[in-house]
Structure formats: C-alpha cells, structure tokens
C-alpha cells in the first residue's frame, strides 16, 4: 500500500498546529520578565534575575507523572495531571534552597487531540504559576503505533537558581534538631502501581463515592501533588533550614535519609500528625504492612525539613501562616542515616 501523506501514517500535522494555538494563552500566562521568547521557537530563552546573588548555582530536576496517568485516562480528566508533573520537579529543586525559574514539558501521545493537549497544558501552566516559574517551551510528539490512541506520557524538567552560600547541604544538622512535616494533598504522584492493584481501579469504582473520603475514589486519587515552593521560600527567608526532603517514591525510608549528613539518623513519631484517610483505606483494603506503607507512600507528609530545636515552633507558625498544615514530627538522633518510626 502506498502511503501518500504523514496523516495517513497516523500523524496529523494540522492537529499539531491547532494544539499550539489552543495552548498559547496558558503558556503565556506563566511568563515573567525573564522570558525572552514566545511559544513556537526552537529553544526557550530566559534571562535570570541576578539581583542579590553573588555566586549563582543552577539547580535542575526532572520527573514524570508515572502510572497515575492511567487514572486520568480512565476518568477522561486531563487538566490536573500537569500540576503533578511540575510539582515533582520543582519540589525537588527547592530541597537545595533553589527558586525555580523555568519549566519545560515533554508530551508523547498516540493521537493528537488538540483539546486534550490544551487541558494537559492548562494543568502544567497552573503548576508553573503556583511555583512562580515560567513555562518556556516543550515538545508534543504524536507517536501512533507506539502509544495507544487514548493514552500519553508526560514528563518535564525545571531549572532553578540559588546563591552558593545559601545551598542547603545538611552540614549544620545536629543531634536534637527537630523534624518538621508539611501535609500532603493525598497520594501525590507515587505508589500508583500499588494503588491500582489494591483498588483494582476501573471506570466504575473510580466514580463511586467513598464515605470516609468525602468524595469519589477517582477524585481523591487524581488530587494533584501539592507544590511547596512559595511556603518554603518564605520559610527560608526567615529562619535557617538545615535539610529538606521531598517525600516521593520510596516514602519515609528512602527520602528522609537523603537530607542527612553522616553520623545522624531520624526518629519519627507517627502519632504526631494525622495520617490521611486514603492511606488508612489503602492499608486496610490491601492488607499492606505498615513498614511497606511508610516505604512506599508519603503517608500524609509531602515535604519534610530539619531546623534547630529553638526554631521549630517558629517554623511551624510560618508555614501555617502560608496556608500549610505543618507539624513537629520527630527529631535528629545519632546514627548512620536510619529512619525509625515509633
């Protein structure tokens, strides 16, 4: 058979043009004074604000959304998943004390449906505005025969900047320092292979109202990952933060040690904050051991940080004033990087 056009091969170039037109407004709504290019160029140009920075250090982070996308497909809801993608990147770079400057996305799909692309990018733009960073570019790749027609993958990366003297490197952490936890909005974007297995997710049960959640299962699970950039930057302006950990895949046991120096460990008091009902439901329905829960999910704490004991109450106060729910959830102990949950 003779294939006479790219469209007959499954790639609709005109749909790509329409997608660009539909996303322009969302993309431009994220731009600040540093953005030097408009949508459609080969590269995104950005002039950083260097005011007050003596030794600029760039900090970058990249991630995707993972199998949480499967729920977006089943529910045909695509305007929040972009926030997850942004959050997974910007929450990582704030751990070094860096302010995000710009973000780029990569969207690969089986069929380019411009309205769906516009919904996805709307969520990305929303996340960028929450993180006060600019969406300066991206790539939409139509890949028929590689992705099923109704499915896509989404990834991205963010670049931020911090003055070298302000990098958070764990060097000042001492035994007796306090561990602060900031509440998550739910499961965020990790552990969804286990989530899907436990709930045996399908269109029908995702749309079922769950009394203990106060919403449908799908609404709960698609709740976007919280973006912690603004409250963390405000906290960094007011007190010394010695270590920061974004609680993502691997839960407490994998992520909390990443902010520790040699010679110290962490003791977490699990009764010090309220565990969200979705995690209780997951543990009960899946008969998941408690250690596996804390080793897979954020368990209601999306961001954790270490401050001096005398700064702990002030840190909680600042974060709560920023609209977060923060708690003193543990302390630094002598050890070799272990996390003990008691």
């Amino acid at each position: 058979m003779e294939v006479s056009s790219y469209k007959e091969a499954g790639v609709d170039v005109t749909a790509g043009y329409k997608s660009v037109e539909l996303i322009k407004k969302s993309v431009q709504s994220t731009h600040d004074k540093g953005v030097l290019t408009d949508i459609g160029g080969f590269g995104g140009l950005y002039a950083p604000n260097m005011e007050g920075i003596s030794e600029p250090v760039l900090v970058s982070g990249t991630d995707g959304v993972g199998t949480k996308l499967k729920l977006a497909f089943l529910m045909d809801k695509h305007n929040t998943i972009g926030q997850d993608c942004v959050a997974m990147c910007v929450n990582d770079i704030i751990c070094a004390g860096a302010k995000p400057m710009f973000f780029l996305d990569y969207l690969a799909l089986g069929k380019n449906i411009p309205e769906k692309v516009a919904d996805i990018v709307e969520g990305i733009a929303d996340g960028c505005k929450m993180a006060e960073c600019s969406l300066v570019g991206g790539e939409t790749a139509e890949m028929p025969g590689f992705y099923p027609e109704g499915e896509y993958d989404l990834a991205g990366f963010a670049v931020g900047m911090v003055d070298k003297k302000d990098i958070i490197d764990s060097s000042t952490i001492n035994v007796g320092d306090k561990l602060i936890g900031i509440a998550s909005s739910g499961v965020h974007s990790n552990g969804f292979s286990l989530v899907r297995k436990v709930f045996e997710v399908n269109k029908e049960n995702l749309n079922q109202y769950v009394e203990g959640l106060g919403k449908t299962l799908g609404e709960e699970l698609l709740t976007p990952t919280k973006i912690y950039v603004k409250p963390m930057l405000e906290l960094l302006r007011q007190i010394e933060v010695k270590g920061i950990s974004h609680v993502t895949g691997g839960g407490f046991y994998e992520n909390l040690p990443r902010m520790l120096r040699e010679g110290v460990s962490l003791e977490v008091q699990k009764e010090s904050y309220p565990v969200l009902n979705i995690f209780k439901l997951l543990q009960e329905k899946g008969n998941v051991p408690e250690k596996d829960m804390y080793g897979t999910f954020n368990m209601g704490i999306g961001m954790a940080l270490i401050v001096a004991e005398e700064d702990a109450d002030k840190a909680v106060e600042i974060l709560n004033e920023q609209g977060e729910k923060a708690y003193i959830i543990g302390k630094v102990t002598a050890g070799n990087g272990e996390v003990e949950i008691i």
Side-chain angles (χ1 to χ4, degrees):
M1 181 183 73
E2 182 180 351
V3 179
S4 59
S5 71
Y6 207 9
K7 187 173 182 178
E8 287 182 48
V11 178
D12 189 346
V13 176
T14 57
Y17 299 152
K18 184 178 180 182
S19 295
V20 171
E21 286 302 314
L22 289 177
I23 67 176
K24 264 188 176 181
K25 188 174 181 180
S26 289
V27 173
Q28 291 170 342
S29 71
T30 71
H31 289 179
D32 62 17
K33 293 178 181 179
V35 180
L36 304 181
T37 48
D38 202 355
I39 187 172
F42 286 99
L45 275 62
Y46 190 89
N49 179 5
M50 308 293 287
E51 184 179 351
I53 296 180
S54 56
E55 290 186 86
V57 176
L58 297 180
V59 182
S60 58
T62 185
D63 211 335
V65 181
T67 62
K68 185 173 185 175
L69 290 171
K70 287 284 190 181
L71 278 71
F73 305 155
L74 287 169
M75 297 182 68
D76 195 25
K77 181 174 173 57
H78 310 281
N79 64 344
T80 62
I81 209 77
Q83 180 180 326
D84 289 286
C85 190
V86 175
M88 298 303 290
C89 299
V90 298
N91 285 345
D92 278 357
I93 66 176
I94 194 67
C95 292
K99 182 188 185 303
M101 296 186 298
F102 59 85
F103 183 85
L104 290 94
D105 68 273
Y106 179 79
L107 173 62
L109 28 68
K111 181 176 176 61
N112 188 334
I113 302 172
E115 293 76 14
K116 182 182 290 187
V117 171
D119 278 350
I120 296 167
V121 174
E122 177 189 337
I124 296 171
D126 287 344
C128 285
K129 285 182 277 193
M130 292 175 195
E132 296 185 328
C133 68
S134 298
L135 178 56
V136 298
E139 171 69 11
T140 301
E142 190 172 13
M143 301 169 66
F146 193 87
Y147 291 99
E149 193 166 293
E151 297 190 2
Y152 56 85
D153 198 7
L154 178 63
F157 75 90
V159 175
M161 186 166 60
V162 61
D163 202 329
K164 189 174 182 180
K165 64 180 174 56
D166 295 327
I167 293 173
I168 297 170
D169 62 3
S170 77
S171 60
T172 62
I173 293 175
N174 295 310
V175 172
D177 288 342
K178 293 297 185 180
L179 179 66
I180 309 295
I182 313 176
S184 68
S185 56
V187 183
H188 283 183
S189 298
N190 301 102
F192 272 86
S193 294
L194 180 55
V195 169
R196 290 184 299 115
K197 181 179 180 181
V198 167
F199 290 120
E200 300 177 333
V201 296
N202 54 57
K203 288 183 179 180
E204 184 178 342
N205 64 15
L206 285 174
N207 287 309
Q208 289 178 350
Y209 182 85
V210 180
E211 190 68 39
L213 301 176
K215 59 186 75 172
T216 68
L217 179 63
E219 287 171 334
E220 172 66 35
L221 295 177
L222 267 191
T223 300
T225 306
K226 184 178 277 289
I227 291 175
Y228 296 98
V229 170
K230 288 184 183 179
M232 286 304 303
L233 287 175
E234 182 58 36
L235 184 66
L236 291 169
R237 278 190 279 269
Q238 296 195 44
I239 66 172
E240 179 193 359
V241 177
K242 301 184 176 189
I244 307 175
S245 175
H246 181 202
V247 187
T248 56
F252 281 41
Y253 291 115
E254 183 173 327
N255 291 289
L256 296 189
R258 295 168 69 180
M259 64 172 159
L260 299 177
R261 64 168 177 81
E262 288 187 13
V264 297
S265 293
L266 285 171
E267 179 184 284
V268 179
Q269 298 166 338
K270 62 185 178 183
E271 302 297 331
S272 60
Y273 73 94
V275 174
L276 301 178
N277 285 342
I278 183 60
F279 298 111
K280 297 175 183 177
L281 187 61
L282 269 164
Q283 184 173 9
E284 181 182 342
K285 185 172 178 58
N287 195 26
V288 182
E290 183 177 77
K291 187 169 184 179
D292 288 350
M293 291 295 296
Y294 281 94
T296 304
F297 301 111
N298 67 61
M299 297 301 286
I301 297 295
M303 187 72 77
L305 54 122
I306 294 171
V307 299
E309 183 176 12
E310 61 268 23
D311 290 331
D313 289 337
K314 180 66 173 176
V316 170
E317 180 184 336
I318 292 168
L319 291 166
N320 289 344
E321 286 173 352
Q322 294 297 307
E324 302 298 329
K325 295 178 181 177
Y327 313 90
I328 300 173
I329 65 171
K331 63 182 180 181
V332 176
T333 59
N336 296 303
E338 301 90 356
V339 174
E340 183 183 14
I341 300 174
I342 58 174

